[in-house]
Amino acid sequence: MSVVEGYIQARNLAACLDLLAGVGETELDGGVLAAFETGLKGTSPDRDRWTVHALGRLTAEAARVNIGAGLIAFRVEAPHGYTRAVSAVLRACGEYFLEAQAALAEAGPPQPGTDA
């Protein structure tokens, strides 16, 4: 097993977890997402307080870096052969705004008679 570390933008949490779940060969459900969101309260990488959850073949640990900074530190334990994919996900979630896709999915399919 290898550990991949990185920082993501807090606004990308749901999208990042969804991508990590895909890498871990599972699906993200509302319960796991809620557990991560709730578990982040009181976390701090400086005090070594992390919330830890399984995402299929991965184990993800997360902690808020600084509430004002809007960053979440991640440590992901992954089997060999998964580390590049995990690194790519964490990098994308740290550098880009990914919520647009999640917001579109939550909105549902376009309604008849609309331009969407």
Side-chain angles (χ1 to χ4, degrees), residues 64-79:
R64 287 201 183 278
V65 173
N66 179 335
I67 293 173
L71 294 177
I72 298 173
F74 262 83
R75 293 191 301 211
V76 181
E77 188 174 300

Side-chain angles (χ1 to χ4, degrees), residues 17-88:
L17 291 174
D18 188 44
L19 290 169
L20 287 172
V23 171
E25 301 175 5
T26 190
E27 290 186 28
L28 180 68
D29 63 28
V32 173
L33 178 57
F36 261 99
E37 290 171 340
T38 302
L40 281 171
K41 295 176 184 167
T43 60
S44 169
D46 296 332
R47 293 183 298 216
D48 203 30
R49 293 186 181 158
W50 300 78
T51 184
V52 181
H53 302 279
L55 292 171
R57 297 179 56 96
L58 309 177
T59 301
E61 301 179 28
R64 287 201 183 278
V65 173
N66 179 335
I67 293 173
L71 294 177
I72 298 173
F74 262 83
R75 293 191 301 211
V76 181
E77 188 174 300
H80 297 289
Y82 289 72
T83 55
R84 281 188 174 177
V86 170
S87 293

